[in-house]
Structures are given as structure tokens and as C-alpha cells.
Amino acid sequence: MEEKLTVLENRYEELCAKSEQPDFYSDPKLAAKLLREKRELEPIVKAFRKWKQAGATMEEALSMMGEEPEMKEFLQEEYQTAKAEREDLEEQLRILLLPKDPNDGKNVIVEIRGGVGGEESALFAHSLFRMYSMYAASKGWTIELMNYSETELGGVKEADFVINGDGAYSRMKFESGVHRVQRVPETESGGRIHTSTATVAVLPEMEEAEVDIRPEDIEMQVYRSSGAGGQHINKTSSAVRLIHKPTGIVVNCQEERSQFQNREKCMQMLASKLYQMEQERIDSEVSGTRKSQIGMGMRNEKIRTYNFPQDRVTDHRIGLSQHNIQGFMDGDLDSMIDALINAAQAEKLGKGAEE
């Protein structure tokens, strides 16, 4: 591990030197790529340097014990403190060196659909849309709505939107799957607890250039938007639907004023869906591949239950329950997502040890 870390430290120092050169920003795209690499290496290098310093402290304490016996007790304490710090840093470095998901830094496309439970499932889907909107705002991320279809009572039939933000996918990817709610619906006069569901899909936002999409494979349809937008949207066929004929994937976008803008967003969504489909195909074909149970939620997998009468949110993948459900629905998701990230890292470390 030390040899690998030394290589990374040398690379980091090289990038630091390059970034200080006068012509560094002459190629903005290359500069952005190198700065991103530098940012990714920085926490690894900082931990490695602390690890080396702790090792040096241990060696110095051992050396001085023989030379100054009257300070042995103090030096032993210093040695044990440095040893404990070095062991902690070693664990941190193992986690920092785990293979990164290449999509972690990307924006995300989120799709929310009402599931089982009729109007209550649509109202729950709306609650999830609000929850993710508030979470995005708390992280300083922005949301672009692509497709939004409401019910008469204000529920959500379907909501497709992009979350723009550094590292959005690294955290939002854990939200894919079936979300189940247990509560007394607003539409229920008898006060009975109902169980209903909504599905969430989270895709890394891909550019067209990153996925092979042939123009002849796409059928484009235009229609009048049913969303908010005033007279302009009602009078023009600006909404776009793209059908990918080989796979049958259908994507819609109706939130922009122009047909061109809606088509551009549809192409991004289609690229993301095709990328995800290809990744799932590769995963299923690789013999003996063990898919992680964390962060790989498919639409048919129940990942979380929101129990309002008991003021409890339970994530079934890691068996974690938290209270203060209203805070959770108001976008306070970090503690749950942090726990999922830690569990995913522990799972990777366990698999690495087995191999």
C-alpha cells in the first residue's frame, strides 16, 4: 500500500506544480480535468502524510526510550498515541483507495412514479419530490424539471428532473428502488392506516457523446405540454417524446419553452437510460459477480419504509431505523445516506479481504 500511496503523492505534487504554471489555463478543459484529479488526490495525500508522520513519531519515541530511561513512561504514552493514530489513518487510507464509481461526480436524473395505492401513492410521490427538492437545496444543488404530471388532488403521477451539483450521484444513487409509506391518507375520512408505494430511479446524467445513439433508431413525437407555462405552452407543440426503437425506451420532456430545448434534454435522459441498461447487462453477464445490495436498488426492490404513526423511517438494506420522520421528509437525509455510504464501503472492504 505504501508504494501505491507514494506514486499518488508524487502525482499530486506534479499536479500542484502544473497548476502554478502561467499557461495552465490555456486549455480550460484540460485544466478542469487536472484540477478535478488534484482534488480527488488531496484527501489521500493528506492522510498518507499524517500516516508517515505518525510512523516517524513512533520510531523517534522508541529510539529515545533507550537514551533517556527517565522519560520512558512519557515516551511510551507518546508511542501508543502515535500508533493508535497510525492505525486509524491506515483504515481511512484503505477506504480512500477503494475503487471509485466513475459516475460519482456527475449530475443525476431522478424519476419518481406513483406505485401501488392509487391517489395516496401519487400524494406520496409528491412528498418524495418535495423531500428531494429540499435535500438538493440544503446541499446547494439546483433542480431542472423535465417532465411533471399531477393528479387532481395534487399528487404526482410522474416527475422527471435533473439535480445539478458536484457529487450529486455519489449520494443520490442510494435512493433507487421502491419506497413504501404507512400513514393515514388525507383522502381517508375513517382514519385507517394505508400502505402504498412509489418508485424512484436515479441515473447518472450522461452526454450523448458518451453513449452510442444512432439517429435512425430514434422516433420523435411532438405534442402540446400539459404542464404549467401559460398560453405559449398551450398553443404550441413544444413538448417532445423520443422513442428508442431497438429497446422501446420512451422519454418525455415538456418543461422548456422550445421544442429544441426539450429534445436536447430528452436525448440526455435517453443516453442515461441506455447507459444504465448496458451496465445492468454487463453485471448480469459477468459470471460470479456479486452485486452490492446497497446502492443498487432496482424498481422492484423495497428499500425503505416511512411509518408515520410510529414516527420512523427504516432502510431495509442496512436495517437502520431513524425517528423524526417529518425532518426526514423535509430533506434531512444526510445521516441516512452517510450510513449507506459507510455500509457500502465496509462491504467493498470485506470483498477485498476475501479476494
Side-chain angles (χ1 to χ4, degrees):
M1 184 172 79
E2 186 171 0
E3 187 177 334
K4 182 177 182 179
L5 287 164
T6 301
V7 171
L8 294 177
E9 183 181 34
N10 292 338
R11 174 60 176 164
Y12 175 75
E13 289 172 351
E14 180 188 339
L15 290 169
C16 287
K18 280 185 177 180
S19 66
E20 293 170 1
Q21 296 300 311
D23 61 344
F24 179 71
Y25 292 96
S26 59
D27 184 340
K29 282 190 176 180
L30 178 60
K33 181 182 176 184
L34 294 177
L35 286 173
R36 185 165 57 250
E37 184 185 356
K38 178 173 170 281
R39 281 197 305 272
E40 289 171 356
L41 287 175
E42 190 166 351
I44 299 173
V45 172
K46 281 185 175 179
F48 179 45
R49 287 173 176 171
K50 287 181 182 178
W51 179 83
K52 288 193 292 184
Q53 181 58 50
T57 301
M58 288 168 64
E59 287 181 13
E60 185 180 3
L62 280 176
S63 172
M64 289 178 68
M65 278 182 208
E67 298 170 8
E68 302 180 39
E70 70 279 3
M71 294 184 65
K72 186 176 181 181
E73 188 175 334
F74 169 77
L75 291 167
Q76 280 180 333
E77 186 178 334
E78 190 172 67
Y79 175 86
Q80 291 300 329
T81 301
K83 183 184 178 186
E85 183 186 4
R86 188 175 166 92
E87 287 170 356
D88 286 345
L89 287 163
E90 202 161 305
E91 186 65 21
Q92 286 179 35
L93 285 165
R94 284 199 188 96
I95 292 170
L96 288 167
L97 289 174
L98 286 172
K100 297 283 192 300
D101 185 331
N103 296 315
D104 272 354
K106 291 183 182 291
N107 299 329
V108 294
I109 294 174
V110 182
E111 300 177 327
I112 302 175
R113 300 286 184 270
V116 176
E119 184 63 37
E120 170 61 8
S121 74
L123 290 168
F124 179 50
H126 177 271
S127 297
L128 291 176
F129 174 69
R130 175 182 176 276
M131 179 180 81
Y132 292 132
S133 298
M134 295 182 78
Y135 180 62
S138 75
K139 307 299 284 186
W141 301 338
T142 59
I143 283 183
E144 291 179 62
L145 205 55
M146 300 176 71
N147 184 43
Y148 191 86
S149 176
E150 287 186 314
T151 65
E152 288 184 4
L153 295 179
V156 167
K157 292 179 185 175
E158 53 185 45
D160 303 328
F161 53 99
V162 180
I163 297 180
N164 299 292
D166 189 28
Y169 184 71
S170 69
R171 300 188 70 79
M172 286 297 298
K173 64 184 176 184
F174 297 100
E175 297 302 302
S176 281
V178 174
H179 295 242
R180 181 176 71 170
V181 65
Q182 293 171 326
R183 65 183 178 184
V184 177
E186 295 173 19
T187 55
E188 176 62 57
S189 58
R192 294 184 296 117
I193 296 170
H194 282 222
T195 298
S196 53
T197 64
T199 62
V200 176
V202 179
L203 312 171
E205 185 183 45
M206 310 300 290
E207 299 295 333
E208 288 179 60
E210 297 177 89
V211 180
D212 183 25
I213 303 177
R214 299 188 306 170
E216 60 268 28
D217 288 341
I218 297 173
E219 178 185 337
M220 176 173 161
Q221 299 174 353
V222 296
Y223 58 99
R224 292 185 182 183
S225 171
S226 60
Q231 294 180 348
H232 168 81
I233 282 185
N234 293 329
K235 287 184 177 179
T236 63
S237 297
S238 59
V240 171
R241 177 180 296 113
L242 295 184
I243 302 168
H244 188 250
K245 291 182 277 189
T247 61
I249 292 173
V250 179
V251 293
N252 303 281
C253 187
Q254 61 176 353
E255 298 301 322
E256 298 293 340
R257 289 175 63 86
S258 80
Q259 192 181 108
F260 173 79
Q261 288 173 311
N262 282 324
R263 184 187 184 282
E264 191 173 33
K265 284 194 172 182
C266 274
M267 287 298 290
Q268 280 190 317
M269 184 182 280
L270 178 59
S272 296
K273 283 178 172 284
L274 290 171
Y275 171 83
Q276 190 83 347
M277 182 178 283
E278 179 63 11
Q279 290 303 111
E280 288 172 12
R281 184 191 67 78
I282 292 169
D283 285 343
S284 65
E285 285 186 1
V286 174
S287 176
T289 296
R290 295 167 296 178
K291 287 177 67 177
S292 170
Q293 295 302 304
I294 304 162
M296 295 295 292
M298 296 295 105
R299 285 179 183 266
N300 62 340
E301 295 175 354
K302 181 182 70 179
I303 64 164
R304 193 176 295 149
T305 294
Y306 303 73
N307 188 310
F308 278 78
Q310 297 180 17
D311 188 34
R312 186 182 70 237
V313 181
T314 300
D315 196 287
H316 303 292
R317 292 163 294 181
I318 54 176
L320 175 64
S321 291
Q322 296 181 344
H323 294 278
N324 186 21
I325 195 169
Q326 192 53 56
F328 200 88
M329 300 307 294
D330 287 342
D332 186 9
L333 309 184
D334 270 334
S335 59
M336 181 70 81
I337 291 175
D338 287 341
L340 286 160
I341 289 172
N342 291 338
Q345 290 172 342
E347 188 176 25
K348 284 182 182 177
L349 285 169
K351 286 179 181 179
E354 288 174 26
E355 290 162 6

